[in-house]
Amino acid sequence: MRILTLEPGHVGESISGHFDVVDARNAPQSQYEALSYAWGSSEKDSHILCQDQKLPITSNLHVALTRLRSTSRPRRLWIDQICINQDDLDERSAQVAMMGIIYRCASRVIVWLGDKDDTSDAAMTFAAALCCNLSLHNGRSRKELLTFSDLGKPVEGTDFILPDEKSGLWVALAKLLNREWFQRLWVVQEASLNPDTVVCCGASQIAWSVFTSLAVQLDAQAALYPFFMIEGQIAPGLHLAGSLISVEPLADVRDLLTVTLRFSKQFVTDPRDRIFAVLSLVNDPKSVSMVPDYTQDTATIYSSFARKSIEKADALDILHYVEMDDTPMATRLPSWVPDWRVRPHARPFGTEQISREIFSASGTKSATFWFGSLGQSLIVQGRKVGTLLPHGIVFPADSHLNMHSGKDESLHMREFELQSSLDSFFEEASKMVRNCHRAVQGSPDEILCHIFSRDYYKIFRPGHADLASAVRLLHLYRSTVKDGKEVLRRYLSMPEDSWIRKRFYDLDSLRVRLWWLAHLSRVMRNVEKRPSVAREGHAISMVFSANLRGNQIFTTSMGLLANVPRQSVAGDEVWILYGCKTPFILRRIERGHLLVGECFVHGIMYGEAIKKEMGIESKVELV
């Protein structure tokens, strides 16, 4: 491996250095720091002097080296862009295979977020202060959650005043957490493998542990989440930091499939790195093994990964990771191979530990499978249990309101339209339940709870599958939607010169959403005088949204209600594939069947179809 020795220098002077080649097996004794950064533009429009030769580098790396260069002593650094010959595919493959060793053995990892801007210094300071003081608050009184009314006041047990909603610190921190570095996949291993990791932004520097701790603290203070929403999603920095907590040295056993999915929303330039960039995070000896090889194309690598996963486990678990997308048929992978280039629309619920413990759609049947000619098809044994009837309904997509988009009254109208769509969705779903001709156990509201939550209500009170509580909270959720719709309708019907229209027009979208959340919280607390109701109400609404977002509700030809993938259409078939925990939606084509994705069908999730011999047992070829 090559190590760059960065020569000392002053501002304005050319950047220079030289390379040393060291044995990777002696990396711990080599005393170097490893740099983690975002390339930015791939155009190498800057350079450094190395062995009296100009070495082209990206402008972002040039800025980083200018900041990191000492004025008095050499600094030894490992930097992927220049310590690996990126044009030599064999060298690149070999070096990527050693990335885990390189970052683990560095004396320190330096995370470079980029140069400073007009708010970054304040954001770095605020992040450290918020993390520290929320930690003290949560440690003293875990049950006392912060609310909108706590803004502008000292945090309980501390002298720290929580900035109010008008403070620019919230915007500054959200802006910092939205920097490109937080969105990259490679940084997952770079930030998690070395205990001595620091974050630099311009001249400001704080420990990486501040960000992971902040993610933990905010997980306990959900009322502050709206400050960190970017385009309807939690800021990439908090999402990444929270996810990285689960890859710390003492965390759970991690297989390659699980890690690949966990970080599937991170950005990569080369789609092959969806697999290669997380290899060093795998610690399960039973996991499938992959070796970086940049001489192979993406389709070959993904197909090899899928086949090896099936053969290694002698199971079909990887099918739960498949989600059909809009990719043209001519460029698609085999339908049973997960396409990691596409960001998952929904997290596969059949892979969750709770799902493995709850569901048993195929009963005691073991996986029976074999590969077709050239390994392009997968033949499995299963049971067809009906088709999807026409006229499914789609759960309304999130409004994706940007919390920092400024003053825009159209946000109110969009929120009203969302609440109206949710209300209509609930009404249509209720009609579908009433029209189902097959008798399944439970009242219409209980069936809706099963379908909306995909039975995740069972995790709220471990050991107590409290369906009654879930139904009560479903009523609460529906009434809150109606209430919110009415509140927003009244607001929009007021004269534009009314005091309330002026008040909310003058406040930005962040204040509007915080007001809305506070309103929801009050409604929930009024149902029962127990704090757990508000927490359960928030939890059930999140579960409903997570398990419905973008999905569709269909009735099957056997009179069952199904929560199915967004690409499903009438006529698609419902199958139980032996050895799998959940049913699947398949689509018949001339040369076999396409795998659309996993689904939840109330009435056959616990082996009922196997016990009652519902449908037709057959082999099916997935192409």
Side-chain angles (χ1 to χ4, degrees):
M1 56 184 280
R2 299 183 186 90
I3 301 293
L4 172 70
T5 297
L6 186 63
E7 300 295 346
H10 295 276
V11 176
E13 296 179 352
S14 297
I15 298 176
S16 62
H18 64 272
F19 287 114
D20 295 315
V21 179
V22 301
D23 191 329
R25 292 172 294 183
N26 298 323
Q29 289 76 45
S30 299
Q31 291 299 306
Y32 63 92
E33 297 170 294
L35 184 64
S36 175
Y37 66 107
W39 278 41
S41 170
S42 59
E43 184 177 351
K44 296 182 177 181
D45 49 5
S46 298
H47 70 272
I48 64 171
L49 294 175
C50 199
Q51 273 96 357
D52 297 324
Q53 299 288 324
K54 287 186 177 181
L55 181 63
I57 61 174
T58 61
S59 57
N60 195 34
L61 178 56
H62 189 273
V63 173
L65 294 177
T66 301
R67 284 285 191 182
L68 296 174
R69 178 175 57 174
S70 170
T71 58
S72 59
R73 60 180 180 81
R75 193 168 192 175
R76 288 167 60 79
L77 297 167
W78 186 89
I79 306 167
D80 64 346
Q81 188 178 138
I82 55 179
C83 292
I84 299 176
N85 182 354
Q86 300 289 337
D87 296 325
D88 185 331
L89 296 183
D90 290 330
E91 178 180 331
R92 184 177 166 195
S93 300
Q95 289 286 304
V96 165
M98 296 192 302
M99 292 281 270
I101 295 173
I102 291 171
Y103 278 90
R104 281 192 185 94
C105 295
S107 58
R108 184 169 67 162
V109 172
I110 302 169
V111 171
W112 173 253
L113 296 184
D115 211 358
K116 66 175 291 185
D117 59 26
D118 54 350
T119 63
S120 59
D121 287 345
M124 293 279 278
T125 302
F126 180 46
L130 187 63
C131 170
C132 176
N133 288 284
L134 286 184
S135 177
L136 289 173
H137 173 78
N138 290 344
R140 286 170 178 263
S141 183
R142 184 83 179 191
K143 294 180 181 179
E144 292 298 323
L145 301 182
L146 297 174
T147 66
F148 179 65
S149 61
D150 292 313
L151 299 179
K153 301 176 183 177
V155 174
E156 180 190 3
T158 76
D159 296 327
F160 176 73
I161 297 178
L162 196 65
D164 64 26
E165 74 281 359
K166 297 178 182 179
S167 172
L169 289 174
W170 297 111
V171 178
L173 183 53
K175 183 179 175 183
L176 180 75
L177 294 170
N178 198 38
R179 288 206 175 204
E180 182 185 0
W181 182 87
F182 291 107
Q183 302 173 49
R184 293 179 58 241
L185 178 58
W186 277 107
V187 306
V188 173
Q189 64 168 357
E190 295 167 3
S192 64
L193 295 178
N194 195 305
D196 189 359
T197 300
V198 296
V199 180
C200 300
C201 185
S204 296
Q205 176 178 308
I206 58 177
W208 168 247
S209 58
V210 166
F211 290 96
T212 55
S213 296
L214 186 59
V216 172
Q217 303 310 324
L218 286 174
D219 184 56
Q221 298 293 349
L224 299 182
Y225 257 47
F227 286 115
F228 303 102
M229 298 297 284
I230 307 292
E231 297 296 333
Q233 302 292 326
I234 194 68
L238 281 184
H239 174 77
L240 174 65
S243 297
L244 283 180
I245 295 169
S246 61
V247 296
E248 291 178 349
L250 298 179
D252 57 336
V253 174
R254 302 179 299 275
D255 61 81
L256 184 53
L257 261 178
T258 301
V259 175
T260 302
L261 176 67
R262 184 174 293 169
F263 299 103
S264 57
K265 293 185 178 181
Q266 299 296 116
F267 176 75
V268 293
T269 303
D270 187 331
R272 293 171 291 189
D273 289 337
R274 285 273 165 226
I275 308 295
F276 299 157
V278 296
L279 290 175
S280 62
L281 302 176
V282 176
N283 66 358
D284 184 356
K286 298 179 181 179
S287 177
V288 61
S289 176
M290 295 286 290
V291 177
D293 185 355
Y294 287 96
T295 65
Q296 295 184 335
D297 61 24
T298 301
T300 300
I301 291 168
Y302 286 6
S303 297
S304 174
F305 179 32
R307 179 164 182 159
K308 286 182 177 181
S309 296
I310 292 172
E311 292 175 333
K312 178 79 173 180
D314 194 26
L316 300 171
D317 289 352
I318 198 167
L319 300 186
H320 291 286
Y321 294 75
V322 171
E323 182 184 1
M324 182 181 283
D325 57 36
D326 300 320
T327 305
M329 282 292 295
T331 58
R332 277 184 189 167
L333 300 170
S335 70
W336 54 274
V337 175
D339 191 345
W340 303 105
R341 294 169 297 189
V342 180
R343 287 191 174 190
H345 178 260
R347 187 177 181 88
F349 71 102
T351 63
E352 299 280 4
Q353 182 62 35
I354 186 70
S355 298
R356 293 171 183 167
E357 294 173 358
I358 291 178
F359 302 134
S360 54
S362 61
T364 58
K365 295 283 189 179
S366 300
T368 302
F369 60 87
W370 58 97
F371 294 96
S373 60
L374 303 177
Q376 290 299 299
S377 66
L378 174 66
I379 300 106
V380 298
Q381 193 75 14
R383 183 174 288 272
K384 178 184 172 183
V385 288
T387 59
L388 300 184
L389 298 180
H391 310 307
I393 58 173
V394 182
F395 184 73
D398 186 44
S399 56
H400 297 297
L401 300 186
N402 188 341
M403 293 299 101
H404 305 288
S405 60
K407 301 165 185 174
D408 182 0
E409 190 159 341
S410 67
L411 296 172
H412 300 78
M413 178 58 74
R414 287 160 56 194
E415 188 70 30
F416 174 73
E417 291 172 351
L418 174 66
Q419 299 301 320
S420 299
S421 298
L422 283 169
D423 192 24
S424 298
F425 172 82
F426 286 134
E427 292 299 326
E428 288 299 315
S430 297
K431 291 179 183 177
M432 292 180 74
V433 173
R434 291 192 294 269
N435 293 335
C436 278
H437 64 267
R438 187 179 185 87
V440 290
Q441 186 176 1
S443 68
D445 283 338
E446 288 175 341
I447 293 173
L448 286 180
C449 270
H450 286 296
I451 293 296
F452 290 172
S453 73
R454 297 194 291 201
D455 277 4
Y456 268 45
Y457 73 86
K458 295 183 178 182
I459 71 174
F460 292 124
R461 297 181 181 180
H464 301 85
D466 195 345
L467 183 57
S469 293
V471 170
R472 187 187 73 247
L473 292 168
L474 172 63
H475 291 163
L476 173 62
Y477 187 38
R478 294 184 64 175
S479 64
T480 301
V481 166
K482 286 183 176 292
D483 191 23
K485 175 184 172 183
E486 179 61 19
V487 169
L488 288 164
R489 186 194 66 75
R490 290 181 182 179
Y491 167 83
L492 292 168
S493 66
M494 292 177 182
E496 290 189 6
D497 59 353
S498 65
W499 70 270
I500 195 166
R501 283 291 284 264
K502 287 182 178 179
R503 180 186 180 195
F504 280 99
Y505 181 77
D506 290 340
L507 296 173
D508 63 19
S509 59
L510 172 61
R511 178 66 178 269
V512 173
R513 179 52 67 90
L514 286 172
W515 165 79
W516 173 244
L517 288 178
H519 168 72
L520 283 180
S521 180
R522 283 196 299 273
V523 172
M524 289 177 176
R525 284 198 296 267
N526 287 336
V527 175
E528 285 189 30
K529 301 299 182 180
R530 290 189 295 122
S532 63
V533 173
R535 288 194 294 272
E536 287 183 0
H538 174 73
I540 195 71
S541 67
M542 295 298 290
V543 165
F544 286 160
S545 295
N547 286 286
L548 283 169
R549 186 177 294 119
N551 281 11
Q552 301 183 80
I553 306 298
F554 270 90
T555 303
T556 76
S557 59
M558 301 192 77
L560 302 174
L561 212 59
N563 181 337
V564 302
R566 60 185 178 131
Q567 294 292 345
S568 305
V569 298
D572 283 350
E573 301 171 357
V574 182
W575 279 77
I576 291 175
L577 304 180
Y578 292 164
C580 294
K581 297 294 185 180
T582 69
F584 289 85
I585 299 297
L586 306 185
R587 181 171 302 159
R588 182 185 292 274
I589 60 174
E590 184 176 351
R591 52 194 178 88
H593 282 75
L594 298 177
L595 178 58
V596 179
E598 63 184 1
C599 65
F600 181 98
V601 184
H602 181 50
I604 60 171
M605 298 302 296
Y606 304 97
E608 297 94 332
I610 305 300
K611 296 172 186 174
K612 300 176 183 178
E613 297 186 349
M614 296 166 59
I616 303 171
E617 185 178 60
S618 173
K619 66 180 181 181
V620 59
E621 184 172 12
L622 305 178
V623 295

